[in-house]
Amino acid sequence: MATVQVSEAEKVYILHGIRDDLRVDGRGCEDYRHMEIETDVVSNTDGSAKVTLGHTAVLVGIKADIGKPRPGVPNEGYLEFFVDCSANATPEFEGRGGEELGTELSNTLYKVFNNKHSVDLKSLCISAGEHCWVLYVDVLLLQCDGNLYDAISVAIKAALFNTKIPKVHISADEEGGKEIELSDDPYDCMRLDVENVPCIVTLCKVGHRHVVDVTLQEKACSVASLIISVTHTGTVTCTRKVGGGSLDPESIFEMTEAGKRVGKALHAPLMKLLQQEESLGKTRQKVGFLG
Amino acid sequence: MLKSKTFMKKTRSGGVMKIVREHYLRDDIWCGSEICTECKQESPVLQRDPSIESNLCSYPHYVIPDTNVVLHQIDVLEDPVIRNVIILQTVLQEVRHRSAPVYKRLKDIIHEQEKHFYTFTNEHHRETFIEREPGESANDRNDRAIRVAAKWYGQHLEKAESEADALKVVLLTNDLGNKQKAEESSLLVYRCEEYIKSLIGNPELVDRLALSNDDKHDITSSKVLFPEHLPLSRIQAGIKSGTFLQGTFRASRDNYLEATVFVQGEGEDSTEVLIQGLQNLNRAVYQDVVAVQLYPRNQWLAPSSVMLQDEGAAKDDNEEDKEEEDEEKSVSLGLFLLTSGAVSEAARKPTGKVVGIIKRNWRPFCGMLNLSQIKESTRHLFTPADRRIPRIRIETRQAATLAGQRIMVAIDGWPKHSRYPNGHFVRSLGNAGDKETEQMVLLLEHDVPHQAFSQAVLSSLPKMPWAITPEDMVRREDLRHLSVCSVDPPGCTDIDDALHCRELDNGNVEVGVHIADVSHFIRPCNAMDKEAANRGTTVYLCGKRIDMVPELLSSNLCSLRSNVERLAFSCIWEMNHKAEIIKTRFTKTVINSKASLTYAEAQMRIDDTTKNDDITKSLRGLNKLAKVLKRQRIEKGALTLSSLEVRFHIDSETHDPIDLQTKELMETNSMVEEFMLLANISVAQKIYDEFPDCAMLRKHPAPPPSNYDILLKAAKSKDVEIHTDSAKALADSLDMARVDGFPYFNTLLRILATRCMMQAVYFCSGMDTDFHHYGLASAIYTHFTSPIRRYADIIVHRLLAVAIEADSTYPDLMDKQKQSALSTNLNYRHKMSQYAQRASVAFHTQLFFKSRGILNEEGFVLFVRKNAIIVLIPKFGLEGTVFFDAKHKATPKLVFDEEGPTLKVEQHTFHIFDMVKVTISLDASNIQHQKIRMSLIEPVISGVSVPAPVVEPQAKKPKLDR
């Protein structure tokens, strides 16, 4: 993970600020930085979203492909994750530098998203045991300025919302072979229900308090953080502790409660925003990467 | 000034793919009209004053037809009266997609300057491009694009016309919905018929209007051409219950609408089911294992004796459901021919249809590409070299380079709505017509393994320098002192047999046949053995030999050349002078051949009374005995059949054939042959006595009596009676068959008799009960004498070696199942090598006639078909077909009589064996199937025969004449 060098004096300053619920950039402990979301940014994917959170920028593209259902769950499709830590984000990722982080991130993403409670995997099934949609979720880190998990999860939710899977229907011919027929209308497509897709809230223990959406400087002052995935109802679907330090049970409880609160508050405007963007349709001016 | 926009397109290729193309819109696409002042065009196409008078449109106007108008009324558009037409890009693309021939015609019109047709690229024009909207079908979108473009033109020209009369655009469409919508947006729109009928002074155009059906406008629905194949489960159930039969599909070489399915029954009880017509053939390809359903007996048909080829030169049906007109025609013609003519009850064969495919037997096929008419098109039809394989549609972007090359194509599938199977390009073999390429083609087509020997095989070879070791000498009989010699055709390097003959003190004669001891070098189950077993036989092509074993063995260590010590497997008889065998023994030996002679040399030595050396004496002895043996054999009823074999004189530098002559047989040929037969029979008896269950033998089944029909009929036409009750009767009656003043008659009869015969095959003695060799009139037979070029002989050598305790056995040798499987492969390879050989001869014959130009020759009618006669030219051993129903000529009156069989062409009746005069030339019009074309000169039939062309003076090519 990208790190910055922070002097002892700076650390004290940050710690003291957080203790008084006033962070270096003026936010409160449970405030996110400015977030920008744009969907449908990559035309050759089936769904895509770009999210910037402070200076952190991630791009998520989703490609739908037809595959074979996993043997254990013949009537469900599945998701595949790949996180590409490009050297654009930080020079540390050059060569194979980003691989470890990428694997760590994608493992967490599997846990959070690839289950039937988060995404309606049954709707991805085309014919039980034979064909299903596989959603390849490719995450590209464009810039790292802390709080990757949250940014990625928001981007994935937005991209899933944006995903248009072409409608197919199975025509069984007499030869016994089933043939997949694709609708020739490009507008005839299936949308995913993203209501239950969780967002990740990362809480960092800094001093005796915990903050959300840490910058790199704040991160340097923290020893441990808790990753919580929360649905729009405030249900926690997954928690994970990262970082070298320890957390006492009481603060874990506190952090989880804070996470639920923050997560719920995150979902509502996100969905509103996405629907608003969708309703603009073709008239929307695209911003893209140069905007 | 480029503006870019993207539009999404999803297509399917295996899975689902989303394809994104950038679509550039521009504002510098001009309208193409002379009156326009706004557009900066250099040479406007559309005239200022489009003069066409119409009742409906009294004003000057341009015409914009929609896609269906172009597709259906291309004849009208081609008329010189119709000018000043705007063809929208949308229309052009759709036309191209739907019908290649119409597209080609449209392109031709556009290029014609007189017609003033203008292509407006509305799809890239900033103001006329439209995107597909949700819920809109592709057709609707295109219709809308056409309306938008028409509207734009209207407005654009309105702006421009300052001084000129009101110039308008008229949209022609036959689609009611489209017309209504166009009227709503206040466009001038008419139905095509309306408009054409309104044209004053050109009533003849109405006749050219194609009848169009309004509701047929949606062409996108793909037509199903073939019935569905049944699923395997139902096929299996059907075969079990007997409703279906399983068999191998064999397409007819001569008629692409006809095939037979060979159904292997119990034992000898095999039937052939006739399949006729595309629907019944139902996408089966040559060699597929299929399930057939028999029709009731009253629907049975007789095989048509018609030659029918799936032709129609460089056509391409770009759209699957698009069936070209002339194709239909040829198909219907074919069906007409199939059904026409009263069929006698006897000629009817079990007839059925293919209901399912059990196993596809597709391999890559050699052939050539027929270029599509559309230059940029990536879909082309591929015509395989083998006529039994249907044409294949492939997609390639390198069509231009592949044209004129021999290429290989593999079939991927054959959907039920496609006239042709779909395939893909595999590799290129080289330019068509090159000798190397053609040779490669015929090797591949006949499945002849021809790759260089692998390293593993070569490592099994003995190390050089090789010499006979003392160990070998101990185990072998030393016959180096005998005056052994070999007699072979000239240029033979793989000498596998040698002979000797000497007088014994007791007055008897000792005769030895020495065969190269290949099994000494090729040990069971090593890499070389496996390779040889797979190859099965050496294949001899004109000017090339594809060895079964590496050259070191075939031309050196195993070849019984003169004056070198070689290992041999010998069969030595003691005979009396009546050629009765007194004693036979087999032994492994070492020999030293004293001379390698050609047939001619051996003959000269025998005839030259001055020579009296050992070899000559030995030859004379052999010759004398051979004559006795031959007489005995013929008395027993062995057949002497005839087939013309030709030899090419090959130019030493260019390797082109410069002359060809039929092979000539000498006494010495038959001398060698007799002893080989004798050795084979002796060995066959020996190994069968030792191993009654696993001896590899060769049998030649007696042909079923019906096979002789053609021979009997032919003989009868000359009042000659042939008896076919037994081989002996046949041989005798063939000998008796003479017609005065027709010396060649006997040979012709023998050629015909050869065609009646069955294939001789290898088999394992434990798997069969009938050992009889019909042609040789021998109760038992095998192949022992050519182990260098036949794998069967190697097995026989091994069996014999075990029998005389000269070698050890191994499990596979005694396994009759494995033996049987091996013989199946050997039979297949043997057959294929013969076909390859014939194909090679045919190719060289063509080369020969190419260099010779046109020749006039005399020939004999060999067969009579419904629409052709097959003529044999004895001088070249060449067979050719004279067609009477040429494609572009009126067919003369043909009356075919099956009983004769005779064919009456106008006034003249052709019988079998009639002498005719034909002109022979090379027909290179189809580069893939260059063929020898024969046309009739004599007898003269007006409208059918051709005047004898002047034969090119040979002096022109003095070099070739030498």
Side-chain angles (χ1 to χ4, degrees):
Chain A
M1 172 72 96
T3 47
V4 285
Q5 297 295 319
V6 184
S7 71
E8 280 305 310
E10 276 177 303
K11 274 189 183 169
V12 170
Y13 179 72
I14 291 170
L15 275 168
H16 285 189
I18 286 174
R19 192 180 61 197
D20 300 334
D21 197 13
L22 184 64
R23 290 159 71 178
V24 183
D25 44 15
R27 287 183 290 160
C29 282
E30 293 182 6
D31 291 341
Y32 270 93
R33 284 171 289 177
H34 176 70
M35 193 186 290
E36 279 179 15
I37 302 174
E38 189 183 7
T39 59
D40 205 10
V41 282
V42 186
S43 59
N44 53 4
T45 59
D46 292 299
S48 59
K50 183 180 165 243
V51 166
T52 52
L53 180 63
H55 287 292
T56 297
V58 295
L59 174 69
V60 170
I62 296 179
K63 283 216 103 167
D65 208 345
I66 291 178
K68 221 177 150 63
R70 300 248 151 95
V73 274
N75 56 351
E76 286 182 10
Y78 57 95
L79 285 77
E80 289 276 5
F81 293 91
F82 180 75
V83 182
D84 183 15
C85 306
S86 97
N88 272 0
T90 156
E92 286 170 54
F93 290 161
E94 215 174 304
R96 314 187 66 173
E99 236 167 57
E100 200 184 329
L101 176 66
T103 318
E104 190 193 321
L105 284 168
S106 57
N107 285 343
T108 309
L109 294 177
Y110 272 112
K111 280 224 174 74
V112 173
F113 293 103
N114 192 20
N115 59 64
K116 57 174 179 276
H117 305 294
S118 303
V119 182
D120 182 12
L121 294 177
K122 284 207 171 84
S123 70
L124 294 178
C125 178
I126 300 168
S127 70
E130 282 175 35
H131 301 290
C132 69
W133 286 108
V134 183
L135 299 183
Y136 291 94
V137 181
D138 291 307
V139 180
L140 182 65
L141 302 186
L142 300 171
Q143 211 169 349
C144 280
D145 188 24
N147 205 15
L148 285 176
Y149 282 103
D150 297 22
I152 291 171
S153 74
V154 169
I156 289 179
K157 180 156 180 161
L160 284 172
F161 176 81
N162 180 238
T163 299
K164 299 180 185 75
I165 301 172
K167 276 213 178 102
V168 292
H169 62 97
I170 300 269
S171 67
D173 50 11
E174 271 184 52
E175 275 171 77
K178 284 181 182 167
E179 223 171 309
I180 293 177
E181 277 175 33
L182 185 65
S183 158
D184 68 338
D185 184 358
Y187 294 97
D188 186 18
C189 46
M190 179 175 88
R191 304 298 289 265
L192 288 169
D193 178 16
V194 293
E195 201 179 20
N196 289 322
V197 174
C199 279
I200 296 175
V201 179
T202 311
L203 291 127
C204 262
K205 181 99 179 162
V206 180
H208 292 290
R209 295 196 64 144
H210 44 261
V211 293
V212 299
D213 190 19
V214 285
T215 60
L216 285 179
Q217 282 85 1
E218 287 166 336
K219 173 112 186 158
C221 307
S222 144
V223 283
S225 44
L226 198 64
I227 294 167
I228 307 171
S229 72
V230 192
T231 66
H232 70 114
T233 55
T235 316
V236 175
T237 59
C238 176
T239 57
R240 198 177 153 221
K241 201 221 95 183
V242 290
S246 59
L247 293 173
D248 58 305
E250 203 173 315
S251 61
I252 290 182
F253 179 74
E254 270 173 33
M255 285 161 93
T256 315
E257 285 303 308
K260 277 189 197 171
R261 209 161 47 236
V262 173
K264 250 170 111 170
L266 186 61
H267 272 290
L270 175 63
M271 280 311 285
K272 209 177 122 206
L273 212 66
L274 289 173
Q275 264 147 10
Q276 214 176 337
E277 192 189 22
E278 172 82 9
S279 67
L280 290 174
K282 281 213 160 104
T283 56
R284 175 169 71 91
Q285 198 77 51
K286 289 198 177 175
V287 181
F289 299 91
L290 300 171
Chain B
M1 295 231 283
L2 295 168
K3 204 181 166 190
S4 93
K5 256 192 172 182
T6 61
F7 70 93
M8 264 55 104
K9 201 175 143 194
K10 287 183 182 120
T11 68
R12 193 177 65 126
S13 70
V16 171
M17 228 163 59
K18 181 172 182 182
I19 294 173
V20 179
R21 297 242 187 282
E22 286 186 327
H23 192 84
Y24 293 89
L25 298 184
R26 34 202 309 167
D27 54 7
D28 60 347
I29 293 171
W30 316 129
C31 68
S33 170
E34 274 178 358
I35 64 156
C36 183
T37 47
E38 207 175 305
C39 296
K40 301 178 198 70
Q41 51 217 350
E42 275 167 9
S43 51
V45 180
L46 300 166
Q47 285 169 306
R48 178 175 296 272
D49 182 24
S51 55
I52 184 160
E53 281 178 67
S54 161
N55 288 336
L56 282 170
C57 326
S58 47
Y59 36 80
H61 59 271
Y62 299 142
V63 173
I64 302 180
D66 82 349
T67 313
N68 282 296
V69 170
V70 173
L71 278 174
H72 295 131
Q73 311 296 356
I74 186 76
D75 291 334
V76 173
L77 291 178
E78 272 177 348
D79 195 280
V81 171
I82 307 288
R83 281 180 295 176
N84 293 299
V85 174
I86 298 161
I87 302 291
L88 300 177
Q89 189 193 7
T90 316
V91 173
L92 202 60
Q93 280 173 345
E94 261 192 300
V95 167
R96 181 184 154 176
H97 185 60
R98 286 188 184 173
S99 164
V102 174
Y103 177 73
K104 170 123 201 309
R105 286 163 76 180
L106 186 60
K107 286 292 266 190
D108 289 344
I109 304 176
I110 291 169
H111 287 306
E112 216 173 295
Q113 283 191 347
E114 296 297 296
K115 294 281 286 172
H116 299 284
F117 271 50
Y118 180 66
T119 315
F120 181 64
T121 40
N122 63 318
E123 296 284 355
H124 290 277
H125 193 287
R126 198 170 59 184
E127 282 162 59
T128 56
F129 171 74
I130 55 157
E131 265 188 285
R132 189 168 164 182
E133 277 173 4
E136 196 176 37
S137 78
N139 274 337
D140 290 346
R141 184 242 162 237
N142 287 341
D143 285 345
R144 190 158 62 90
I146 293 168
R147 290 199 301 271
V148 168
K151 180 127 195 146
W152 178 85
Y153 251 104
Q155 287 162 354
H156 181 77
L157 293 177
E158 218 163 77
K159 266 188 278 169
E161 54 163 299
S162 42
E163 75 274 29
D165 290 342
L167 194 60
K168 297 198 164 110
V169 286
V170 172
L171 179 64
L172 295 186
T173 178
N174 289 337
D175 180 0
L176 288 179
N178 192 16
K179 191 174 172 223
Q180 204 175 349
K181 277 185 192 146
E183 274 162 356
E184 275 165 24
S185 50
S186 65
L187 284 169
L188 284 167
V189 56
Y190 295 108
R191 284 183 45 228
C192 187
E193 286 81 353
E194 273 180 324
Y195 178 79
I196 299 296
K197 280 174 188 159
S198 77
L199 295 178
I200 308 159
N202 293 298
E204 76 280 359
L205 260 184
V206 179
D207 294 348
R208 303 185 69 167
L209 269 174
L211 283 176
S212 77
N213 199 344
D214 279 11
D215 44 33
K216 245 186 88 183
H217 116 101
D218 197 15
I219 321 180
T220 45
S221 67
S222 53
K223 191 167 68 184
V224 174
L225 282 170
F226 294 103
E228 194 89 55
H229 286 149
L230 295 180
L232 205 55
S233 53
R234 277 187 59 191
I235 293 175
Q236 276 160 346
I239 290 171
K240 226 175 215 170
S241 68
T243 41
F244 302 149
L245 295 170
Q246 174 178 344
T248 318
F249 185 85
R250 292 179 181 168
S252 159
R253 210 184 278 271
D254 299 328
N255 185 339
Y256 77 101
L257 290 173
E258 194 172 289
T260 54
V261 171
F262 182 79
V263 181
Q264 183 83 49
E266 303 277 315
E268 298 295 295
D269 175 34
S270 309
T271 45
E272 278 194 335
V273 180
L274 183 72
I275 317 275
Q276 281 186 341
L278 274 183
Q279 295 276 318
N280 291 340
L281 296 174
N282 198 2
R283 293 172 279 159
V285 178
Y286 181 63
Q287 289 285 326
D288 285 348
V289 180
V290 297
V292 287
Q293 185 176 21
L294 280 182
Y295 281 132
R297 195 170 270 271
N298 57 6
Q299 287 178 33
W300 286 10
L301 301 163
S304 62
S305 323
V306 180
M307 312 279 236
L308 201 59
Q309 280 172 35
D310 190 2
E311 265 172 20
K315 270 188 285 115
D316 173 49
D317 50 349
N318 217 340
E319 184 64 16
E320 310 247 311
D321 50 272
K322 186 75 200 160
E323 193 105 342
E324 270 79 7
E325 238 171 82
D326 36 352
E327 181 133 26
E328 290 278 27
K329 235 182 272 168
S330 85
V331 170
S332 62
L333 173 80
L335 288 175
F336 162 71
L337 285 170
L338 290 177
T339 49
S340 71
V343 182
S344 71
E345 196 57 42
R348 289 178 186 231
K349 292 261 164 68
T351 307
K353 63 173 179 186
V354 173
V355 292
I357 308 284
I358 294 162
K359 184 171 165 275
R360 288 289 195 189
N361 243 333
W362 291 341
R363 59 187 170 92
F365 300 105
C366 300
M368 288 181 75
L369 209 58
N370 292 2
L371 283 194
S372 163
Q373 283 171 355
I374 303 171
K375 224 192 297 161
E376 322 87 275
S377 169
T378 54
R379 288 171 135 204
H380 304 273
L381 272 186
F382 162 85
T383 310
D386 189 341
R387 287 215 196 90
R388 290 169 297 193
I389 308 297
R391 294 196 286 168
I392 304 166
R393 187 186 295 109
I394 65 164
E395 232 169 284
T396 172
R397 286 175 201 285
Q398 37 170 349
T401 35
L402 292 182
Q405 287 191 352
R406 292 276 190 177
I407 59 171
M408 290 189 80
V409 161
I411 304 185
D412 297 327
W414 196 339
K416 57 177 178 275
H417 49 75
S418 165
R419 170 73 176 75
Y420 300 109
N422 296 325
H424 62 265
F425 170 73
V426 178
R427 72 187 174 105
S428 169
L429 300 171
N431 286 327
D434 286 1
K435 227 180 299 152
E436 288 73 34
T437 313
E438 297 301 326
Q439 207 147 54
M440 185 69 91
V441 168
L442 66 92
L443 288 178
L444 286 166
E445 272 305 296
H446 296 97
D447 196 13
V448 176
H450 58 277
Q451 284 80 17
F453 287 98
S454 68
Q455 207 50 50
V457 172
L458 295 177
S459 65
S460 324
L461 285 173
K463 298 278 165 296
M464 293 300 282
W466 174 86
I468 295 170
T469 59
E471 263 169 77
D472 290 333
M473 292 306 290
V474 173
R475 293 216 217 120
R476 284 167 185 270
E477 208 169 315
D478 188 357
L479 298 180
R480 283 176 290 185
H481 57 280
L482 291 178
S483 42
V484 173
C485 68
S486 64
V487 185
D488 285 289
C492 178
T493 58
D494 49 350
I495 305 169
D496 39 24
D497 50 72
L499 299 154
H500 87 269
C501 168
R502 61 173 176 176
E503 299 274 337
L504 293 178
D505 299 337
N506 60 5
N508 286 341
V509 201
E510 182 194 80
V511 177
V513 167
H514 312 275
I515 306 297
D517 192 4
V518 181
S519 62
H520 174 85
F521 296 99
I522 301 183
R523 303 309 299 165
C525 301
N526 69 12
M528 188 153 60
D529 183 52
K530 281 181 185 145
E531 179 69 26
N534 178 40
R535 294 191 178 212
T537 173
T538 294
V539 181
Y540 295 87
L541 304 179
C542 296
K544 191 178 165 84
R545 188 178 80 198
I546 289 87
D547 277 322
M548 181 182 79
V549 294
E551 200 181 357
L552 178 68
L553 290 184
S554 68
S555 305
N556 187 356
L557 299 185
C558 289
S559 182
L560 304 177
R561 297 186 294 185
S562 53
N563 301 318
V564 279
E565 291 177 1
R566 288 287 176 256
L567 301 180
F569 206 152
S570 305
C571 173
I572 298 165
W573 300 280
E574 191 180 330
M575 290 181 182
N576 60 18
H577 286 279
K578 288 185 207 141
E580 285 161 353
I581 298 168
I582 292 157
K583 220 166 79 187
T584 310
R585 88 193 153 91
F586 307 98
T587 175
K588 292 226 171 184
T589 54
V590 180
I591 61 160
N592 190 345
S593 170
K594 300 291 179 288
S596 312
L597 305 173
T598 65
Y599 290 120
E601 281 168 357
Q603 190 67 47
M604 257 152 53
R605 273 177 186 250
I606 292 170
D607 294 344
D608 186 353
T609 43
T610 56
K611 281 211 166 169
N612 260 321
D613 52 299
D614 275 355
I615 293 169
T616 311
K617 273 199 281 188
S618 166
L619 283 171
R620 284 195 191 122
L622 287 167
N623 199 24
K624 216 175 87 202
L625 286 170
K627 280 181 187 162
V628 181
L629 282 169
K630 186 168 185 181
R631 204 177 56 238
Q632 287 173 352
R633 208 160 53 80
I634 287 171
E635 269 165 20
K636 277 200 301 189
L639 293 171
T640 320
L641 298 173
S642 184
S643 66
L644 290 178
E645 278 188 72
V646 290
R647 244 190 110 74
F648 289 97
H649 290 273
I650 305 270
D651 188 299
S652 57
E653 272 165 33
T654 63
H655 297 287
D656 283 333
I658 47 179
D659 198 3
L660 98 188
Q661 66 179 75
T662 48
K663 273 182 193 165
E664 206 178 318
L665 290 177
M666 272 174 282
E667 236 176 28
T668 42
N669 288 59
S670 95
M671 172 189 91
V672 174
E673 194 191 332
E674 284 309 320
F675 285 104
M676 294 307 133
L677 293 177
L678 193 63
N680 285 337
I681 293 168
S682 298
V683 170
Q685 195 59 54
K686 173 79 180 171
I687 58 175
Y688 178 63
D689 289 346
E690 288 289 329
F691 309 105
D693 263 356
C694 54
M696 179 166 282
L697 302 178
R698 190 168 171 85
K699 69 169 175 181
H700 183 209
S706 62
N707 274 26
Y708 287 119
D709 283 356
I710 187 81
L711 177 70
L712 295 178
K713 279 182 191 169
K716 213 170 183 184
S717 69
K718 293 282 173 208
D719 288 328
V720 171
E721 201 142 342
I722 300 286
H723 302 280
T724 56
D725 329 340
S726 66
K728 168 90 177 131
L730 177 64
D732 288 345
S733 51
L734 277 178
D735 286 341
M736 301 290 291
R738 299 248 181 274
V739 171
D740 288 333
F742 191 1
Y744 204 66
F745 174 70
N746 194 271
T747 316
L748 282 174
L749 262 192
R750 286 182 198 274
I751 290 172
L752 274 188
T754 314
R755 308 274 165 102
C756 303
M757 293 299 149
M758 304 282 283
Q759 272 278 347
V761 288
Y762 297 109
F763 67 102
C764 173
S765 61
M767 306 290 281
D768 211 330
T769 48
D770 175 28
F771 296 177
H772 192 71
H773 197 291
Y774 182 79
L776 296 172
S778 170
I780 192 164
Y781 192 67
T782 193
H783 270 163
F784 167 73
T785 51
S786 298
I788 300 180
R789 59 188 178 89
R790 289 189 306 232
Y791 189 76
D793 301 51
I794 295 184
I795 292 292
V796 170
H797 273 229
R798 286 180 186 156
L799 287 166
L800 187 65
V802 176
I804 61 165
E805 292 165 10
D807 207 341
S808 56
T809 180
Y810 61 100
D812 282 2
L813 193 64
M814 298 297 149
D815 184 335
K816 62 179 179 180
Q817 302 296 342
K818 284 196 175 146
Q819 281 267 12
S820 189
L822 178 65
S823 19
T824 310
N825 180 47
L826 294 181
N827 288 330
Y828 169 72
R829 294 291 187 202
H830 182 72
K831 193 172 73 190
M832 281 334 231
S833 86
Q834 279 186 329
Y835 290 162
Q837 236 153 302
R838 267 181 234 167
S840 176
V841 169
F843 174 65
H844 279 78
T845 314
Q846 283 163 15
L847 282 184
F848 171 71
F849 280 104
K850 200 174 181 179
S851 63
R852 269 309 182 78
I854 298 166
L855 288 176
N856 298 332
E857 287 298 337
E858 280 181 2
F860 300 97
V861 177
L862 206 54
F863 295 106
V864 177
R865 298 264 187 258
K866 258 185 196 167
N867 58 345
I869 50 171
I870 292 169
V871 177
L872 176 84
I873 313 288
K875 187 173 168 191
F876 303 119
L878 176 75
E879 248 175 68
T881 313
V882 179
F883 286 98
F884 292 118
D885 53 349
K887 266 241 143 96
H888 312 290
K889 278 197 288 184
T891 308
K893 204 166 141 253
L894 299 174
V895 181
F896 180 67
D897 177 14
E898 207 149 336
E899 284 314 304
T902 60
L903 179 70
K904 195 169 173 191
V905 182
E906 299 291 345
Q907 302 311 318
H908 187 87
T909 309
F910 286 98
H911 298 93
I912 288 186
F913 300 141
D914 278 1
M915 190 161 91
V916 291
K917 212 163 179 187
V918 291
T919 160
I920 309 165
S921 60
L922 184 72
D923 181 1
S925 57
N926 180 351
I927 188 153
Q928 162 134 292
H929 291 291
Q930 295 200 353
K931 53 192 171 203
I932 304 289
R933 199 197 355 226
M934 292 191 181
S935 325
L936 198 64
I937 305 177
E938 266 173 43
V940 178
I941 305 170
S942 64
V944 176
S945 60
V946 295
V950 182
V951 176
E952 274 179 59
Q954 287 289 307
K956 261 187 172 174
K957 294 166 185 163
K959 202 180 141 219
L960 292 176
D961 215 27
R962 241 182 289 130

